[in-house]
Amino acid sequence: MEVVAAAKQKTKKHEKHIHLFYCSECEELALKVAASSDAIELQSINWRSFDDGFPNLFINKAHDIRGQHVAFLASFSSPAVIFEQISVIFALPKLFIASFTLVLPFFPTGSFERVEEEGDVATAFTLARILSMIPKSRGGPTSVVIYDIHALQERFYFGDDVLPCFETGIPLLLQRLRQLPDAENITIAFPDDGAWKRFHKLLQHFPMIVCNKVREGDKRIVRIKEGNPEGRHVVIVDDLVQSGGTLRECQKVLASHGAAKVSAYVTHAVFPKRSYERFMSSNSAGPGDQFACFWITDSCPHTVKAIGQRPPFEVLSLAGSIADALQI
């Protein structure tokens, strides 16, 4: 017992002490991150505006963080908040700090990564280039932690002056699935080939179903490409949800093919224009139209605040994972 205790004490001694700053909408997540590790100390920023609307920002205790490891927890939930956060992100590494880590749980332009015709603007590349310009700290390039970026090839959009670190929320889902009473009856479904390519290696010990969309006249219909949902608790897995139309169509197809229950998991619950309301149990047409569970993470704070824990939604917090990522 003494050997184990000594080993734990040694491990704690080798942990970096992190000074964690955060944007206003990430306050709740930042508190959870700090609560999950004794090595993380929260710091604050005064987020103010001048009369003309431009940011009037102040980093508190700037002198005290010299020579320290510093991180910033960001949320680029809308173009309106990006500039003020970028201003802080570019300022922190210049305060003579030992190292700097940017935690951006959701990379919001990730689904705009392709140019399908001349004139399209791939804003995923634009945002990656902006982040690649973050100044170096005394310890070297900035580490940029992102969860379940929409397309893995986007890692190549970042320049050599930052170190992108791509994490995933799937371990949170796996932990939750193990707690279910029907854990032995789980089948994983993917709404398209892209989701399968993205996640199947992390979920390969489960039976799998792959759906796809086929065109019938002017409509695109969701079909089961492979796999059998009959009698199973099927969990649809994807990186993000916007309107949720594809997930709803997948749910209907899986239920019509005999699934006992259908649930869903997405890392990033974007849900613009309150589109999450269509998934609320009270808004369902009937039992066959409902999701048993809908798991999301807190990568999109505005959504989490709006949804809370109202059925069928359940929030799986990234806090512990972020705390671990800050020790990399």
Side-chain angles (χ1 to χ4, degrees), residues 168-213:
T168 179
I170 293 298
L172 299 175
L173 172 64
L174 292 173
Q175 182 180 18
R176 187 67 184 91
L177 293 181
R178 286 193 290 267
Q179 297 169 351
L180 297 178
D182 58 353
E184 300 300 319
N185 194 43
I186 299 294
T187 290
I188 301 297
F190 302 102
D192 51 40
D193 288 329
W196 177 84
K197 291 176 183 177
R198 185 73 181 78
F199 293 115
H200 79 279
K201 289 185 178 179
L202 300 172
L203 298 159
Q204 56 189 352
H205 57 288
F206 290 98
M208 293 185 185
I209 296 168
V210 180
C211 300
N212 66 354
K213 287 184 178 180

mmCIF file of all heavy atoms in Angstrom, residues 168-213:
data_model
loop_
_atom_site.group_PDB
_atom_site.id
_atom_site.type_symbol
_atom_site.label_atom_id
_atom_site.label_comp_id
_atom_site.label_asym_id
_atom_site.label_seq_id
_atom_site.Cartn_x
_atom_site.Cartn_y
_atom_site.Cartn_z
ATOM 1 N N THR A 168 -10.905 12.507 -28.981
ATOM 2 C CA THR A 168 -12.240 12.023 -29.320
ATOM 3 C C THR A 168 -13.086 11.853 -28.067
ATOM 4 O O THR A 168 -12.568 11.575 -26.977
ATOM 5 C CB THR A 168 -12.165 10.684 -30.080
ATOM 6 O OG1 THR A 168 -13.509 10.221 -30.370
ATOM 7 C CG2 THR A 168 -11.448 9.615 -29.274
ATOM 8 N N GLY A 169 -14.398 12.008 -28.238
ATOM 9 C CA GLY A 169 -15.334 11.796 -27.132
ATOM 10 C C GLY A 169 -15.837 10.376 -27.029
ATOM 11 O O GLY A 169 -16.602 10.047 -26.114
ATOM 12 N N ILE A 170 -15.404 9.507 -27.951
ATOM 13 C CA ILE A 170 -15.908 8.125 -27.964
ATOM 14 C C ILE A 170 -15.673 7.372 -26.650
ATOM 15 O O ILE A 170 -16.543 6.601 -26.216
ATOM 16 C CB ILE A 170 -15.311 7.350 -29.154
ATOM 17 C CG1 ILE A 170 -15.833 7.918 -30.484
ATOM 18 C CG2 ILE A 170 -15.646 5.857 -29.063
ATOM 19 C CD1 ILE A 170 -17.334 7.816 -30.676
ATOM 20 N N PRO A 171 -14.530 7.551 -25.960
ATOM 21 C CA PRO A 171 -14.387 6.857 -24.663
ATOM 22 C C PRO A 171 -15.502 7.190 -23.669
ATOM 23 O O PRO A 171 -15.887 6.332 -22.855
ATOM 24 C CB PRO A 171 -13.025 7.353 -24.152
ATOM 25 C CG PRO A 171 -12.250 7.638 -25.400
ATOM 26 C CD PRO A 171 -13.270 8.202 -26.350
ATOM 27 N N LEU A 172 -16.052 8.395 -23.723
ATOM 28 C CA LEU A 172 -17.177 8.749 -22.852
ATOM 29 C C LEU A 172 -18.402 7.924 -23.205
ATOM 30 O O LEU A 172 -19.138 7.468 -22.320
ATOM 31 C CB LEU A 172 -17.499 10.236 -22.985
ATOM 32 C CG LEU A 172 -16.395 11.223 -22.608
ATOM 33 C CD1 LEU A 172 -16.839 12.654 -22.910
ATOM 34 C CD2 LEU A 172 -16.044 11.086 -21.130
ATOM 35 N N LEU A 173 -18.627 7.749 -24.506
ATOM 36 C CA LEU A 173 -19.755 6.914 -24.939
ATOM 37 C C LEU A 173 -19.559 5.470 -24.494
ATOM 38 O O LEU A 173 -20.490 4.841 -23.970
ATOM 39 C CB LEU A 173 -19.899 6.985 -26.460
ATOM 40 C CG LEU A 173 -20.915 6.009 -27.069
ATOM 41 C CD1 LEU A 173 -22.326 6.324 -26.598
ATOM 42 C CD2 LEU A 173 -20.833 6.028 -28.598
ATOM 43 N N LEU A 174 -18.361 4.944 -24.694
ATOM 44 C CA LEU A 174 -18.101 3.554 -24.309
ATOM 45 C C LEU A 174 -18.337 3.338 -22.817
ATOM 46 O O LEU A 174 -18.928 2.328 -22.406
ATOM 47 C CB LEU A 174 -16.663 3.173 -24.675
ATOM 48 C CG LEU A 174 -16.347 3.100 -26.168
ATOM 49 C CD1 LEU A 174 -14.863 2.876 -26.392
ATOM 50 C CD2 LEU A 174 -17.146 1.981 -26.829
ATOM 51 N N GLN A 175 -17.891 4.289 -22.012
ATOM 52 C CA GLN A 175 -18.099 4.193 -20.564
ATOM 53 C C GLN A 175 -19.590 4.177 -20.228
ATOM 54 O O GLN A 175 -20.033 3.396 -19.377
ATOM 55 C CB GLN A 175 -17.411 5.361 -19.871
ATOM 56 C CG GLN A 175 -17.524 5.333 -18.351
ATOM 57 C CD GLN A 175 -16.820 6.521 -17.715
ATOM 58 O OE1 GLN A 175 -16.540 7.522 -18.365
ATOM 59 N NE2 GLN A 175 -16.523 6.418 -16.436
ATOM 60 N N ARG A 176 -20.353 5.010 -20.923
ATOM 61 C CA ARG A 176 -21.799 5.076 -20.663
ATOM 62 C C ARG A 176 -22.503 3.808 -21.129
ATOM 63 O O ARG A 176 -23.421 3.310 -20.448
ATOM 64 C CB ARG A 176 -22.399 6.306 -21.370
ATOM 65 C CG ARG A 176 -23.863 6.545 -21.024
ATOM 66 C CD ARG A 176 -24.026 6.930 -19.575
ATOM 67 N NE ARG A 176 -25.416 7.075 -19.175
ATOM 68 C CZ ARG A 176 -26.160 6.085 -18.672
ATOM 69 N NH1 ARG A 176 -25.631 4.864 -18.511
ATOM 70 N NH2 ARG A 176 -27.408 6.304 -18.325
ATOM 71 N N LEU A 177 -22.097 3.277 -22.265
ATOM 72 C CA LEU A 177 -22.741 2.062 -22.772
ATOM 73 C C LEU A 177 -22.518 0.882 -21.837
ATOM 74 O O LEU A 177 -23.400 0.034 -21.680
ATOM 75 C CB LEU A 177 -22.212 1.725 -24.175
ATOM 76 C CG LEU A 177 -22.574 2.706 -25.299
ATOM 77 C CD1 LEU A 177 -21.990 2.229 -26.626
ATOM 78 C CD2 LEU A 177 -24.085 2.880 -25.417
ATOM 79 N N ARG A 178 -21.352 0.824 -21.224
ATOM 80 C CA ARG A 178 -21.074 -0.279 -20.289
ATOM 81 C C ARG A 178 -21.979 -0.237 -19.074
ATOM 82 O O ARG A 178 -22.176 -1.248 -18.392
ATOM 83 C CB ARG A 178 -19.600 -0.240 -19.849
ATOM 84 C CG ARG A 178 -18.626 -0.698 -20.919
ATOM 85 C CD ARG A 178 -17.243 -0.930 -20.332
ATOM 86 N NE ARG A 178 -16.600 0.325 -19.956
ATOM 87 C CZ ARG A 178 -15.783 1.019 -20.745
ATOM 88 N NH1 ARG A 178 -15.519 0.568 -21.969
ATOM 89 N NH2 ARG A 178 -15.224 2.134 -20.322
ATOM 90 N N GLN A 179 -22.555 0.925 -18.783
ATOM 91 C CA GLN A 179 -23.420 1.080 -17.607
ATOM 92 C C GLN A 179 -24.874 0.715 -17.887
ATOM 93 O O GLN A 179 -25.681 0.635 -16.965
ATOM 94 C CB GLN A 179 -23.348 2.528 -17.115
ATOM 95 C CG GLN A 179 -21.962 2.957 -16.651
ATOM 96 C CD GLN A 179 -21.859 4.463 -16.430
ATOM 97 O OE1 GLN A 179 -22.766 5.222 -16.779
ATOM 98 N NE2 GLN A 179 -20.763 4.906 -15.845
ATOM 99 N N LEU A 180 -25.207 0.517 -19.153
ATOM 100 C CA LEU A 180 -26.600 0.241 -19.514
ATOM 101 C C LEU A 180 -27.001 -1.175 -19.124
ATOM 102 O O LEU A 180 -26.192 -2.103 -19.210
ATOM 103 C CB LEU A 180 -26.805 0.431 -21.019
ATOM 104 C CG LEU A 180 -26.578 1.833 -21.585
ATOM 105 C CD1 LEU A 180 -26.781 1.825 -23.098
ATOM 106 C CD2 LEU A 180 -27.521 2.844 -20.937
ATOM 107 N N PRO A 181 -28.265 -1.374 -18.728
ATOM 108 C CA PRO A 181 -28.723 -2.726 -18.386
ATOM 109 C C PRO A 181 -28.697 -3.675 -19.579
ATOM 110 O O PRO A 181 -28.578 -4.887 -19.403
ATOM 111 C CB PRO A 181 -30.163 -2.504 -17.876
ATOM 112 C CG PRO A 181 -30.545 -1.141 -18.325
ATOM 113 C CD PRO A 181 -29.287 -0.352 -18.459
ATOM 114 N N ASP A 182 -28.815 -3.134 -20.799
ATOM 115 C CA ASP A 182 -28.770 -3.984 -21.995
ATOM 116 C C ASP A 182 -27.445 -3.827 -22.736
ATOM 117 O O ASP A 182 -27.382 -3.875 -23.968
ATOM 118 C CB ASP A 182 -29.935 -3.673 -22.936
ATOM 119 C CG ASP A 182 -29.970 -2.212 -23.386
ATOM 120 O OD1 ASP A 182 -29.168 -1.402 -22.857
ATOM 121 O OD2 ASP A 182 -30.783 -1.876 -24.265
ATOM 122 N N ALA A 183 -26.368 -3.663 -21.960
ATOM 123 C CA ALA A 183 -25.048 -3.415 -22.554
ATOM 124 C C ALA A 183 -24.622 -4.528 -23.510
ATOM 125 O O ALA A 183 -23.862 -4.277 -24.463
ATOM 126 C CB ALA A 183 -24.005 -3.250 -21.451
ATOM 127 N N GLU A 184 -25.106 -5.744 -23.286
ATOM 128 C CA GLU A 184 -24.720 -6.873 -24.146
ATOM 129 C C GLU A 184 -25.540 -6.926 -25.427
ATOM 130 O O GLU A 184 -25.303 -7.784 -26.286
ATOM 131 C CB GLU A 184 -24.886 -8.190 -23.372
ATOM 132 C CG GLU A 184 -24.039 -8.279 -22.111
ATOM 133 C CD GLU A 184 -22.547 -8.169 -22.414
ATOM 134 O OE1 GLU A 184 -22.108 -8.772 -23.412
ATOM 135 O OE2 GLU A 184 -21.838 -7.477 -21.656
ATOM 136 N N ASN A 185 -26.507 -6.022 -25.558
ATOM 137 C CA ASN A 185 -27.386 -6.054 -26.739
ATOM 138 C C ASN A 185 -27.220 -4.809 -27.613
ATOM 139 O O ASN A 185 -28.101 -4.451 -28.382
ATOM 140 C CB ASN A 185 -28.854 -6.178 -26.286
ATOM 141 C CG ASN A 185 -29.779 -6.544 -27.427
ATOM 142 O OD1 ASN A 185 -29.459 -7.405 -28.248
ATOM 143 N ND2 ASN A 185 -30.928 -5.888 -27.503
ATOM 144 N N ILE A 186 -26.058 -4.155 -27.506
ATOM 145 C CA ILE A 186 -25.817 -2.913 -28.241
ATOM 146 C C ILE A 186 -25.277 -3.198 -29.641
ATOM 147 O O ILE A 186 -24.386 -4.029 -29.821
ATOM 148 C CB ILE A 186 -24.815 -2.003 -27.485
ATOM 149 C CG1 ILE A 186 -25.370 -1.611 -26.109
ATOM 150 C CG2 ILE A 186 -24.479 -0.768 -28.319
ATOM 151 C CD1 ILE A 186 -26.597 -0.736 -26.167
ATOM 152 N N THR A 187 -25.822 -2.507 -30.609
ATOM 153 C CA THR A 187 -25.271 -2.481 -31.965
ATOM 154 C C THR A 187 -25.028 -1.027 -32.340
ATOM 155 O O THR A 187 -25.844 -0.159 -32.032
ATOM 156 C CB THR A 187 -26.243 -3.123 -32.978
ATOM 157 O OG1 THR A 187 -26.300 -4.539 -32.743
ATOM 158 C CG2 THR A 187 -25.784 -2.890 -34.421
ATOM 159 N N ILE A 188 -23.908 -0.757 -32.982
ATOM 160 C CA ILE A 188 -23.567 0.605 -33.397
ATOM 161 C C ILE A 188 -23.977 0.807 -34.853
ATOM 162 O O ILE A 188 -23.708 -0.051 -35.707
ATOM 163 C CB ILE A 188 -22.055 0.880 -33.248
ATOM 164 C CG1 ILE A 188 -21.620 0.696 -31.790
ATOM 165 C CG2 ILE A 188 -21.717 2.284 -33.742
ATOM 166 C CD1 ILE A 188 -22.259 1.649 -30.814
ATOM 167 N N ALA A 189 -24.617 1.938 -35.113
ATOM 168 C CA ALA A 189 -25.009 2.280 -36.484
ATOM 169 C C ALA A 189 -24.334 3.579 -36.896
ATOM 170 O O ALA A 189 -24.158 4.485 -36.076
ATOM 171 C CB ALA A 189 -26.527 2.418 -36.607
ATOM 172 N N PHE A 190 -23.975 3.662 -38.167
ATOM 173 C CA PHE A 190 -23.389 4.878 -38.719
ATOM 174 C C PHE A 190 -24.313 5.414 -39.804
ATOM 175 O O PHE A 190 -24.793 4.644 -40.646
ATOM 176 C CB PHE A 190 -22.004 4.590 -39.302
ATOM 177 C CG PHE A 190 -21.040 4.021 -38.296
ATOM 178 C CD1 PHE A 190 -20.748 2.666 -38.285
ATOM 179 C CD2 PHE A 190 -20.448 4.837 -37.346
ATOM 180 C CE1 PHE A 190 -19.877 2.132 -37.360
ATOM 181 C CE2 PHE A 190 -19.574 4.318 -36.406
ATOM 182 C CZ PHE A 190 -19.283 2.951 -36.410
ATOM 183 N N PRO A 191 -24.588 6.714 -39.802
ATOM 184 C CA PRO A 191 -25.545 7.268 -40.761
ATOM 185 C C PRO A 191 -25.038 7.307 -42.194
ATOM 186 O O PRO A 191 -25.819 7.457 -43.126
ATOM 187 C CB PRO A 191 -25.807 8.685 -40.239
ATOM 188 C CG PRO A 191 -24.595 9.012 -39.436
ATOM 189 C CD PRO A 191 -24.119 7.729 -38.841
ATOM 190 N N ASP A 192 -23.712 7.159 -42.368
ATOM 191 C CA ASP A 192 -23.144 7.161 -43.719
ATOM 192 C C ASP A 192 -21.748 6.559 -43.672
ATOM 193 O O ASP A 192 -21.206 6.250 -42.601
ATOM 194 C CB ASP A 192 -23.103 8.579 -44.310
ATOM 195 C CG ASP A 192 -22.440 9.586 -43.378
ATOM 196 O OD1 ASP A 192 -21.420 9.237 -42.745
ATOM 197 O OD2 ASP A 192 -22.951 10.713 -43.264
ATOM 198 N N ASP A 193 -21.155 6.383 -44.843
ATOM 199 C CA ASP A 193 -19.812 5.798 -44.918
ATOM 200 C C ASP A 193 -18.775 6.674 -44.228
ATOM 201 O O ASP A 193 -17.798 6.173 -43.674
ATOM 202 C CB ASP A 193 -19.415 5.577 -46.381
ATOM 203 C CG ASP A 193 -20.171 4.419 -47.025
ATOM 204 O OD1 ASP A 193 -20.504 3.465 -46.305
ATOM 205 O OD2 ASP A 193 -20.431 4.475 -48.242
ATOM 206 N N GLY A 194 -18.977 8.003 -44.289
ATOM 207 C CA GLY A 194 -18.026 8.912 -43.656
ATOM 208 C C GLY A 194 -17.928 8.684 -42.158
ATOM 209 O O GLY A 194 -16.826 8.666 -41.591
ATOM 210 N N ALA A 195 -19.067 8.516 -41.503
ATOM 211 C CA ALA A 195 -19.064 8.262 -40.059
ATOM 212 C C ALA A 195 -18.425 6.919 -39.746
ATOM 213 O O ALA A 195 -17.711 6.770 -38.745
ATOM 214 C CB ALA A 195 -20.494 8.324 -39.519
ATOM 215 N N TRP A 196 -18.684 5.924 -40.611
ATOM 216 C CA TRP A 196 -18.064 4.602 -40.413
ATOM 217 C C TRP A 196 -16.542 4.718 -40.492
ATOM 218 O O TRP A 196 -15.816 4.202 -39.635
ATOM 219 C CB TRP A 196 -18.576 3.626 -41.458
ATOM 220 C CG TRP A 196 -17.927 2.271 -41.362
ATOM 221 C CD1 TRP A 196 -18.278 1.238 -40.539
ATOM 222 C CD2 TRP A 196 -16.779 1.817 -42.100
ATOM 223 N NE1 TRP A 196 -17.429 0.169 -40.713
ATOM 224 C CE2 TRP A 196 -16.500 0.497 -41.665
ATOM 225 C CE3 TRP A 196 -15.976 2.389 -43.074
ATOM 226 C CZ2 TRP A 196 -15.444 -0.251 -42.188
ATOM 227 C CZ3 TRP A 196 -14.919 1.646 -43.592
ATOM 228 C CH2 TRP A 196 -14.658 0.343 -43.155
ATOM 229 N N LYS A 197 -16.046 5.388 -41.519
ATOM 230 C CA LYS A 197 -14.597 5.556 -41.659
ATOM 231 C C LYS A 197 -14.022 6.296 -40.461
ATOM 232 O O LYS A 197 -12.919 5.991 -39.998
ATOM 233 C CB LYS A 197 -14.280 6.325 -42.939
ATOM 234 C CG LYS A 197 -14.562 5.553 -44.219
ATOM 235 C CD LYS A 197 -14.323 6.425 -45.440
ATOM 236 C CE LYS A 197 -14.689 5.676 -46.722
ATOM 237 N NZ LYS A 197 -14.534 6.547 -47.919
ATOM 238 N N ARG A 198 -14.772 7.246 -39.942
ATOM 239 C CA ARG A 198 -14.293 8.097 -38.853
ATOM 240 C C ARG A 198 -14.191 7.352 -37.533
ATOM 241 O O ARG A 198 -13.268 7.569 -36.751
ATOM 242 C CB ARG A 198 -15.247 9.295 -38.705
ATOM 243 C CG ARG A 198 -14.837 10.341 -37.711
ATOM 244 C CD ARG A 198 -13.667 11.154 -38.225
ATOM 245 N NE ARG A 198 -13.250 12.146 -37.247
ATOM 246 C CZ ARG A 198 -12.524 11.872 -36.172
ATOM 247 N NH1 ARG A 198 -12.121 10.642 -35.932
ATOM 248 N NH2 ARG A 198 -12.188 12.820 -35.337
ATOM 249 N N PHE A 199 -15.152 6.457 -37.250
ATOM 250 C CA PHE A 199 -15.269 5.918 -35.894
ATOM 251 C C PHE A 199 -15.198 4.399 -35.759
ATOM 252 O O PHE A 199 -15.116 3.911 -34.634
ATOM 253 C CB PHE A 199 -16.589 6.388 -35.270
ATOM 254 C CG PHE A 199 -16.657 7.864 -35.007
ATOM 255 C CD1 PHE A 199 -17.572 8.664 -35.687
ATOM 256 C CD2 PHE A 199 -15.814 8.467 -34.099
ATOM 257 C CE1 PHE A 199 -17.644 10.024 -35.445
ATOM 258 C CE2 PHE A 199 -15.878 9.832 -33.843
ATOM 259 C CZ PHE A 199 -16.792 10.612 -34.524
ATOM 260 N N HIS A 200 -15.256 3.636 -36.857
ATOM 261 C CA HIS A 200 -15.461 2.192 -36.678
ATOM 262 C C HIS A 200 -14.321 1.500 -35.939
ATOM 263 O O HIS A 200 -14.535 0.536 -35.211
ATOM 264 C CB HIS A 200 -15.717 1.509 -38.032
ATOM 265 C CG HIS A 200 -14.486 1.254 -38.844
ATOM 266 N ND1 HIS A 200 -13.893 2.228 -39.617
ATOM 267 C CD2 HIS A 200 -13.732 0.138 -38.999
ATOM 268 C CE1 HIS A 200 -12.834 1.720 -40.225
ATOM 269 N NE2 HIS A 200 -12.711 0.463 -39.866
ATOM 270 N N LYS A 201 -13.092 1.994 -36.073
ATOM 271 C CA LYS A 201 -11.970 1.349 -35.391
ATOM 272 C C LYS A 201 -12.040 1.541 -33.876
ATOM 273 O O LYS A 201 -11.463 0.750 -33.125
ATOM 274 C CB LYS A 201 -10.649 1.887 -35.933
ATOM 275 C CG LYS A 201 -10.352 1.418 -37.351
ATOM 276 C CD LYS A 201 -8.978 1.871 -37.812
ATOM 277 C CE LYS A 201 -8.692 1.356 -39.214
ATOM 278 N NZ LYS A 201 -7.355 1.795 -39.703
ATOM 279 N N LEU A 202 -12.740 2.575 -33.429
ATOM 280 C CA LEU A 202 -12.894 2.812 -31.992
ATOM 281 C C LEU A 202 -14.038 2.004 -31.393
ATOM 282 O O LEU A 202 -14.178 1.941 -30.170
ATOM 283 C CB LEU A 202 -13.138 4.301 -31.734
ATOM 284 C CG LEU A 202 -12.042 5.271 -32.194
ATOM 285 C CD1 LEU A 202 -12.512 6.720 -32.048
ATOM 286 C CD2 LEU A 202 -10.764 5.048 -31.400
ATOM 287 N N LEU A 203 -14.850 1.405 -32.261
ATOM 288 C CA LEU A 203 -16.053 0.697 -31.807
ATOM 289 C C LEU A 203 -16.139 -0.701 -32.401
ATOM 290 O O LEU A 203 -17.217 -1.277 -32.498
ATOM 291 C CB LEU A 203 -17.294 1.506 -32.219
ATOM 292 C CG LEU A 203 -17.407 2.903 -31.599
ATOM 293 C CD1 LEU A 203 -18.330 3.786 -32.431
ATOM 294 C CD2 LEU A 203 -17.919 2.818 -30.172
ATOM 295 N N GLN A 204 -14.995 -1.273 -32.779
ATOM 296 C CA GLN A 204 -15.000 -2.483 -33.587
ATOM 297 C C GLN A 204 -15.439 -3.751 -32.841
ATOM 298 O O GLN A 204 -15.710 -4.771 -33.464
ATOM 299 C CB GLN A 204 -13.628 -2.701 -34.219
ATOM 300 C CG GLN A 204 -12.477 -2.771 -33.244
ATOM 301 C CD GLN A 204 -11.135 -2.772 -33.957
ATOM 302 O OE1 GLN A 204 -11.077 -2.864 -35.184
ATOM 303 N NE2 GLN A 204 -10.039 -2.676 -33.211
ATOM 304 N N HIS A 205 -15.526 -3.690 -31.507
ATOM 305 C CA HIS A 205 -15.981 -4.877 -30.783
ATOM 306 C C HIS A 205 -17.510 -4.970 -30.710
ATOM 307 O O HIS A 205 -18.052 -5.908 -30.123
ATOM 308 C CB HIS A 205 -15.389 -4.917 -29.372
ATOM 309 C CG HIS A 205 -15.688 -3.714 -28.538
ATOM 310 N ND1 HIS A 205 -15.106 -2.495 -28.750
ATOM 311 C CD2 HIS A 205 -16.532 -3.555 -27.481
ATOM 312 C CE1 HIS A 205 -15.553 -1.628 -27.862
ATOM 313 N NE2 HIS A 205 -16.433 -2.235 -27.088
ATOM 314 N N PHE A 206 -18.223 -3.989 -31.309
ATOM 315 C CA PHE A 206 -19.683 -4.033 -31.380
ATOM 316 C C PHE A 206 -20.122 -4.506 -32.767
ATOM 317 O O PHE A 206 -19.446 -4.226 -33.761
ATOM 318 C CB PHE A 206 -20.288 -2.639 -31.161
ATOM 319 C CG PHE A 206 -20.169 -2.114 -29.765
ATOM 320 C CD1 PHE A 206 -19.157 -1.231 -29.412
ATOM 321 C CD2 PHE A 206 -21.073 -2.507 -28.782
ATOM 322 C CE1 PHE A 206 -19.045 -0.736 -28.136
ATOM 323 C CE2 PHE A 206 -20.978 -2.010 -27.493
ATOM 324 C CZ PHE A 206 -19.958 -1.128 -27.163
ATOM 325 N N PRO A 207 -21.282 -5.188 -32.861
ATOM 326 C CA PRO A 207 -21.884 -5.389 -34.186
ATOM 327 C C PRO A 207 -22.196 -4.025 -34.798
ATOM 328 O O PRO A 207 -22.510 -3.072 -34.077
ATOM 329 C CB PRO A 207 -23.180 -6.155 -33.872
ATOM 330 C CG PRO A 207 -22.987 -6.732 -32.509
ATOM 331 C CD PRO A 207 -22.080 -5.790 -31.773
ATOM 332 N N MET A 208 -22.112 -3.929 -36.128
ATOM 333 C CA MET A 208 -22.265 -2.624 -36.766
ATOM 334 C C MET A 208 -23.286 -2.651 -37.890
ATOM 335 O O MET A 208 -23.517 -3.673 -38.524
ATOM 336 C CB MET A 208 -20.911 -2.148 -37.327
ATOM 337 C CG MET A 208 -19.883 -1.846 -36.275
ATOM 338 S SD MET A 208 -18.364 -1.169 -36.979
ATOM 339 C CE MET A 208 -17.354 -1.074 -35.497
ATOM 340 N N ILE A 209 -23.874 -1.471 -38.087
ATOM 341 C CA ILE A 209 -24.804 -1.227 -39.191
ATOM 342 C C ILE A 209 -24.329 0.038 -39.887
ATOM 343 O O ILE A 209 -23.954 1.011 -39.233
ATOM 344 C CB ILE A 209 -26.243 -1.025 -38.681
ATOM 345 C CG1 ILE A 209 -26.774 -2.304 -38.019
ATOM 346 C CG2 ILE A 209 -27.174 -0.574 -39.804
ATOM 347 C CD1 ILE A 209 -28.053 -2.107 -37.241
ATOM 348 N N VAL A 210 -24.329 0.015 -41.205
ATOM 349 C CA VAL A 210 -23.975 1.204 -41.976
ATOM 350 C C VAL A 210 -25.171 1.593 -42.838
ATOM 351 O O VAL A 210 -25.717 0.763 -43.571
ATOM 352 C CB VAL A 210 -22.743 0.964 -42.871
ATOM 353 C CG1 VAL A 210 -22.404 2.238 -43.655
ATOM 354 C CG2 VAL A 210 -21.551 0.521 -42.038
ATOM 355 N N CYS A 211 -25.601 2.827 -42.704
ATOM 356 C CA CYS A 211 -26.689 3.356 -43.531
ATOM 357 C C CYS A 211 -26.098 4.223 -44.646
ATOM 358 O O CYS A 211 -24.940 4.634 -44.583
ATOM 359 C CB CYS A 211 -27.652 4.193 -42.684
ATOM 360 S SG CYS A 211 -28.451 3.279 -41.333
ATOM 361 N N ASN A 212 -26.891 4.500 -45.624
ATOM 362 C CA ASN A 212 -26.487 5.477 -46.646
ATOM 363 C C ASN A 212 -27.723 6.090 -47.261
ATOM 364 O O ASN A 212 -28.847 5.633 -47.049
ATOM 365 C CB ASN A 212 -25.581 4.838 -47.711
ATOM 366 C CG ASN A 212 -26.309 3.793 -48.542
ATOM 367 O OD1 ASN A 212 -27.455 3.446 -48.287
ATOM 368 N ND2 ASN A 212 -25.629 3.295 -49.562
ATOM 369 N N LYS A 213 -27.501 7.148 -48.018
ATOM 370 C CA LYS A 213 -28.601 7.833 -48.683
ATOM 371 C C LYS A 213 -28.592 7.477 -50.165
ATOM 372 O O LYS A 213 -27.545 7.519 -50.813
ATOM 373 C CB LYS A 213 -28.478 9.351 -48.522
ATOM 374 C CG LYS A 213 -28.791 9.849 -47.125
ATOM 375 C CD LYS A 213 -28.731 11.375 -47.071
ATOM 376 C CE LYS A 213 -29.094 11.888 -45.694
ATOM 377 N NZ LYS A 213 -29.041 13.372 -45.623
#
